[in-house]
Amino acid sequence: AQSVTQLDSHVSVSEGTPVLLRCNYSSSYSPSLFWYVQHPNKGLQLLLKYTSAATLVKGINGFEAEFKKSETSFHLTKPSAHMSDAAEYFCVVSFGGYQKVTFGTGTKLQVIP
Amino acid sequence: DTGVSQDPRHKITKRGQNVTFRCDPISEHNRLYWYRQTLGQGPEFLTYFQNEAQLEKSRLLSDRFSAERPKGSFSTLEIQRTEQGDSAMYLCASSLEHSNQPQHFGDGTRLSIL
Protein backbone atom coordinates (compact mmCIF):
# COMPACT_ATOMS: atom_id res chain seq x y z
CA ALA A 1 0.00 0.00 0.00
CA GLN A 2 1.11 3.53 -0.61
CA SER A 3 0.48 6.64 1.44
CA VAL A 4 1.71 10.19 1.70
CA THR A 5 1.81 12.44 4.75
CA GLN A 6 2.10 16.19 4.61
CA LEU A 7 3.35 17.13 8.04
CA ASP A 8 1.97 20.67 8.18
CA SER A 9 -1.55 21.72 7.27
CA HIS A 10 -0.58 25.42 7.34
CA VAL A 11 2.75 27.16 6.86
CA SER A 12 3.25 30.90 7.19
CA VAL A 13 6.38 32.71 5.96
CA SER A 14 7.37 36.29 5.34
CA GLU A 15 7.90 37.46 1.78
CA GLY A 16 11.54 36.96 0.79
CA THR A 17 12.23 34.20 3.33
CA PRO A 18 12.73 30.49 2.54
CA VAL A 19 9.85 28.06 2.15
CA LEU A 20 9.88 24.45 3.39
CA LEU A 21 6.85 22.20 2.87
CA ARG A 22 7.33 18.71 4.23
CA CYS A 23 6.20 15.43 2.72
CA ASN A 24 6.85 11.83 3.75
CA TYR A 25 5.74 8.85 1.73
CA SER A 26 5.27 5.15 2.13
CA SER A 27 5.39 2.84 -0.86
CA SER A 28 6.19 -0.80 -1.35
CA TYR A 29 7.75 -0.04 -4.71
CA SER A 30 9.94 2.64 -6.16
CA PRO A 31 7.56 5.55 -6.29
CA SER A 32 7.06 8.45 -8.61
CA LEU A 33 6.55 11.61 -6.58
CA PHE A 34 5.00 14.92 -7.56
CA TRP A 35 4.22 18.29 -6.08
CA TYR A 36 1.19 20.22 -7.28
CA VAL A 37 -0.02 23.71 -6.43
CA GLN A 38 -3.66 24.78 -6.32
CA HIS A 39 -4.83 28.37 -6.26
CA PRO A 40 -8.39 29.11 -5.08
CA ASN A 41 -11.10 27.77 -7.40
CA LYS A 42 -8.55 26.43 -9.83
CA GLY A 43 -7.29 23.00 -10.79
CA LEU A 44 -3.94 21.59 -9.77
CA GLN A 45 -0.78 22.71 -11.55
CA LEU A 46 2.29 20.48 -11.65
CA LEU A 47 5.31 22.05 -9.93
CA LEU A 48 7.80 19.21 -10.30
CA LYS A 49 8.19 15.44 -10.45
CA TYR A 50 10.65 12.80 -9.31
CA THR A 51 10.87 9.63 -11.37
CA SER A 52 14.09 7.87 -10.23
CA ALA A 53 16.54 10.08 -12.09
CA ALA A 54 18.30 12.90 -10.21
CA THR A 55 17.34 13.08 -6.55
CA LEU A 56 17.27 16.88 -6.57
CA VAL A 57 14.46 18.00 -8.80
CA LYS A 58 13.96 21.54 -10.02
CA GLY A 59 10.50 22.75 -10.86
CA ILE A 60 8.71 25.85 -11.99
CA ASN A 61 8.62 29.20 -10.18
CA GLY A 62 11.91 28.54 -8.36
CA PHE A 63 10.71 25.51 -6.41
CA GLU A 64 12.77 22.38 -5.94
CA ALA A 65 12.48 19.13 -4.01
CA GLU A 66 14.93 16.49 -2.86
CA PHE A 67 14.12 12.78 -2.85
CA LYS A 68 15.68 11.11 0.21
CA LYS A 69 15.07 7.38 0.15
CA SER A 70 16.61 6.78 3.58
CA GLU A 71 14.18 9.26 5.13
CA THR A 72 11.27 8.46 2.76
CA SER A 73 10.89 12.19 2.27
CA PHE A 74 10.28 14.54 -0.63
CA HIS A 75 10.25 18.03 0.89
CA LEU A 76 9.51 21.09 -1.26
CA THR A 77 11.67 24.19 -0.89
CA LYS A 78 12.07 27.65 -2.34
CA PRO A 79 14.85 30.07 -1.35
CA SER A 80 12.68 33.19 -1.31
CA ALA A 81 8.90 33.32 -1.01
CA HIS A 82 6.84 35.58 -3.24
CA MET A 83 3.32 36.80 -2.54
CA SER A 84 2.08 34.86 -5.57
CA ASP A 85 3.24 31.61 -3.92
CA ALA A 86 0.33 31.77 -1.47
CA ALA A 87 -1.75 28.70 -2.36
CA GLU A 88 -2.32 25.10 -1.33
CA TYR A 89 0.35 22.53 -2.13
CA PHE A 90 -0.20 18.80 -2.55
CA CYS A 91 2.39 16.04 -2.41
CA VAL A 92 1.42 13.05 -4.56
CA VAL A 93 2.81 9.52 -4.79
CA SER A 94 2.16 7.03 -7.57
CA PHE A 95 3.35 3.62 -8.56
CA GLY A 96 2.19 0.79 -10.69
CA GLY A 97 1.45 0.41 -14.31
CA TYR A 98 -1.93 2.07 -14.16
CA GLN A 99 -0.67 5.11 -12.35
CA LYS A 100 -2.94 5.13 -9.32
CA VAL A 101 -2.04 8.17 -7.29
CA THR A 102 -2.46 9.07 -3.66
CA PHE A 103 -2.72 12.71 -2.61
CA GLY A 104 -1.54 14.19 0.63
CA THR A 105 -4.00 16.28 2.62
CA GLY A 106 -2.38 19.51 1.45
CA THR A 107 -0.41 22.35 3.01
CA LYS A 108 -1.75 25.89 2.84
CA LEU A 109 1.08 28.36 2.37
CA GLN A 110 0.52 31.89 3.61
CA VAL A 111 2.99 34.60 2.58
CA ILE A 112 3.08 37.67 4.79
CA PRO A 113 4.13 40.96 3.21
CA ASP B 1 -1.47 21.84 -26.10
CA THR B 2 -4.63 23.56 -24.94
CA GLY B 3 -4.75 21.79 -21.58
CA VAL B 4 -7.59 19.92 -19.94
CA SER B 5 -10.90 21.73 -20.13
CA GLN B 6 -14.00 21.13 -18.05
CA ASP B 7 -17.52 22.33 -18.56
CA PRO B 8 -19.38 23.87 -16.83
CA ARG B 9 -17.16 25.65 -14.31
CA HIS B 10 -20.03 25.99 -11.86
CA LYS B 11 -23.31 24.13 -11.49
CA ILE B 12 -26.04 24.94 -9.01
CA THR B 13 -28.96 22.55 -8.85
CA LYS B 14 -31.71 21.38 -6.54
CA ARG B 15 -31.45 18.15 -4.63
CA GLY B 16 -32.81 15.25 -6.60
CA GLN B 17 -31.89 16.62 -10.02
CA ASN B 18 -29.47 14.94 -12.42
CA VAL B 19 -26.29 16.70 -13.52
CA THR B 20 -23.70 15.94 -16.18
CA PHE B 21 -20.18 17.29 -16.45
CA ARG B 22 -17.86 17.15 -19.41
CA CYS B 23 -14.09 16.85 -19.60
CA ASP B 24 -11.92 17.30 -22.68
CA PRO B 25 -8.43 15.92 -22.05
CA ILE B 26 -5.17 16.87 -23.73
CA SER B 27 -5.55 15.34 -27.17
CA GLU B 28 -2.67 12.86 -27.12
CA HIS B 29 -3.38 11.62 -23.59
CA ASN B 30 -4.97 8.17 -23.47
CA ARG B 31 -5.62 8.18 -19.73
CA LEU B 32 -8.37 10.19 -18.10
CA TYR B 33 -9.23 10.48 -14.41
CA TRP B 34 -12.07 11.90 -12.34
CA TYR B 35 -11.58 13.16 -8.79
CA ARG B 36 -13.78 14.78 -6.18
CA GLN B 37 -12.45 17.45 -3.86
CA THR B 38 -14.30 18.82 -0.86
CA LEU B 39 -13.33 21.93 1.05
CA GLY B 40 -10.04 21.60 2.87
CA GLN B 41 -9.29 18.15 1.48
CA GLY B 42 -7.09 16.75 -1.24
CA PRO B 43 -8.62 15.26 -4.35
CA GLU B 44 -10.15 11.79 -3.95
CA PHE B 45 -9.98 9.35 -6.83
CA LEU B 46 -13.32 8.42 -8.40
CA THR B 47 -12.58 6.58 -11.61
CA TYR B 48 -10.09 6.22 -14.43
CA PHE B 49 -10.15 5.39 -18.16
CA GLN B 50 -7.54 4.12 -20.51
CA ASN B 51 -8.82 5.06 -23.94
CA GLU B 52 -12.54 4.15 -23.82
CA ALA B 53 -12.19 1.45 -21.17
CA GLN B 54 -13.12 2.28 -17.58
CA LEU B 55 -10.47 0.35 -15.66
CA GLU B 56 -11.12 1.25 -12.05
CA LYS B 57 -13.87 2.73 -9.92
CA SER B 58 -13.55 3.89 -6.35
CA ARG B 59 -15.92 2.81 -3.58
CA LEU B 60 -16.83 6.52 -3.47
CA LEU B 61 -18.53 6.10 -6.83
CA SER B 62 -22.01 5.02 -5.77
CA ASP B 63 -24.54 3.66 -8.25
CA ARG B 64 -25.86 7.20 -8.72
CA PHE B 65 -22.60 8.11 -10.43
CA SER B 66 -21.70 7.02 -13.95
CA ALA B 67 -18.81 7.99 -16.16
CA GLU B 68 -18.26 7.38 -19.85
CA ARG B 69 -15.59 7.97 -22.42
CA PRO B 70 -17.27 6.59 -25.52
CA LYS B 71 -14.67 7.33 -28.18
CA GLY B 72 -11.60 7.52 -25.99
CA SER B 73 -11.53 11.31 -26.20
CA PHE B 74 -13.86 13.45 -24.03
CA SER B 75 -15.54 12.03 -20.94
CA THR B 76 -18.75 12.73 -19.08
CA LEU B 77 -19.55 12.25 -15.41
CA GLU B 78 -23.25 12.03 -14.53
CA ILE B 79 -24.73 12.18 -11.06
CA GLN B 80 -28.33 11.08 -10.74
CA ARG B 81 -30.70 12.12 -7.94
CA THR B 82 -28.18 14.51 -6.45
CA GLU B 83 -27.82 14.76 -2.68
CA GLN B 84 -26.43 17.50 -0.43
CA GLY B 85 -23.28 15.46 0.10
CA ASP B 86 -22.50 15.59 -3.60
CA SER B 87 -21.56 19.27 -3.29
CA ALA B 88 -17.87 19.40 -4.18
CA MET B 89 -15.36 20.32 -6.84
CA TYR B 90 -15.13 17.64 -9.53
CA LEU B 91 -11.72 17.54 -11.15
CA CYS B 92 -10.69 15.85 -14.36
CA ALA B 93 -7.11 14.97 -15.25
CA SER B 94 -5.38 13.30 -18.16
CA SER B 95 -1.98 11.78 -18.76
CA LEU B 96 0.15 9.71 -21.06
CA GLU B 97 0.42 6.05 -20.26
CA HIS B 98 3.14 5.32 -17.70
CA SER B 99 3.37 5.61 -13.95
CA ASN B 100 6.00 8.34 -14.13
CA GLN B 101 3.89 10.61 -16.32
CA PRO B 102 2.22 13.41 -14.38
CA GLN B 103 -1.49 14.03 -14.54
CA HIS B 104 -2.59 17.35 -15.96
CA PHE B 105 -5.67 18.82 -14.33
CA GLY B 106 -8.53 20.93 -15.53
CA ASP B 107 -9.91 23.79 -13.44
CA GLY B 108 -12.78 21.65 -12.22
CA THR B 109 -16.55 21.91 -12.02
CA ARG B 110 -17.88 23.21 -8.72
CA LEU B 111 -21.24 21.59 -7.89
CA SER B 112 -23.54 23.19 -5.35
CA ILE B 113 -26.69 21.34 -4.27
CA LEU B 114 -29.45 23.54 -2.87
Side-chain angles (χ1 to χ4, degrees):
Chain A
Q2 60 183 19
S3 66
V4 59
T5 302
Q6 291 185 244
L7 296 155
D8 306 294
S9 58
H10 289 84
V11 169
S12 185
V13 300
S14 297
E15 190 176 17
T17 65
V19 175
L20 170 64
L21 305 182
R22 297 182 294 167
C23 172
N24 285 92
Y25 70 92
S26 167
S27 176
S28 303
Y29 304 91
S30 295
S32 294
L33 293 157
F34 310 88
W35 276 98
Y36 286 85
V37 60
Q38 186 177 34
H39 289 90
N41 296 311
K42 300 286 278 185
L44 283 80
Q45 180 186 17
L46 179 70
L47 279 178
L48 49 81
K49 67 176 185 178
Y50 166 77
T51 55
S52 76
T55 56
L56 182 63
V57 182
K58 292 190 185 301
I60 62 171
N61 301 336
F63 284 94
E64 61 182 39
E66 186 172 7
F67 173 72
K68 291 187 177 180
K69 187 174 181 179
S70 60
E71 298 176 10
T72 61
S73 69
F74 190 58
H75 300 334
L76 181 70
T77 60
K78 182 173 180 177
S80 175
H82 191 272
M83 293 300 295
S84 61
D85 295 329
E88 188 154 23
Y89 292 78
F90 292 94
C91 183
V92 179
V93 61
S94 82
F95 76 98
Y98 62 87
Q99 203 180 351
K100 184 170 183 177
V101 301
T102 301
F103 282 80
T105 50
T107 299
K108 279 203 174 80
L109 176 64
Q110 180 185 20
V111 182
I112 302 167
Chain B
D1 178 358
T2 57
V4 178
S5 64
Q6 292 189 245
D7 183 69
R9 290 295 316 279
H10 297 96
K11 179 71 177 179
I12 302 172
T13 192
K14 293 182 180 179
R15 189 178 56 181
Q17 298 295 304
N18 299 343
V19 294
T20 300
F21 311 140
R22 177 181 169 121
C23 171
D24 286 90
I26 293 170
S27 57
E28 62 266 28
H29 287 180
N30 61 347
R31 291 187 171 177
L32 186 148
Y33 307 78
W34 285 99
Y35 294 87
R36 181 171 69 189
Q37 186 179 24
T38 53
L39 210 58
Q41 301 295 317
E44 297 172 296
F45 171 79
L46 292 179
T47 189
Y48 135 80
F49 292 84
Q50 179 155 319
N51 301 311
E52 65 275 10
Q54 188 173 19
L55 296 188
E56 187 174 352
K57 292 194 289 188
S58 162
R59 291 173 293 138
L60 294 174
L61 213 64
S62 76
D63 56 6
R64 296 185 298 105
F65 288 70
S66 61
E68 294 183 343
R69 194 182 183 198
K71 296 181 181 177
S73 56
F74 74 92
S75 175
T76 58
L77 177 68
E78 181 182 15
I79 309 174
Q80 295 182 323
R81 305 181 304 281
T82 51
E83 301 173 355
Q84 288 280 338
D86 296 332
S87 294
M89 174 80 91
Y90 290 84
L91 293 165
C92 176
S94 69
S95 76
L96 294 169
E97 178 177 348
H98 197 279
S99 62
N100 68 2
Q101 293 297 319
Q103 296 179 20
H104 297 261
F105 285 80
D107 283 341
T109 294
R110 182 167 294 286
L111 174 64
S112 299
I113 307 297
L114 301 176

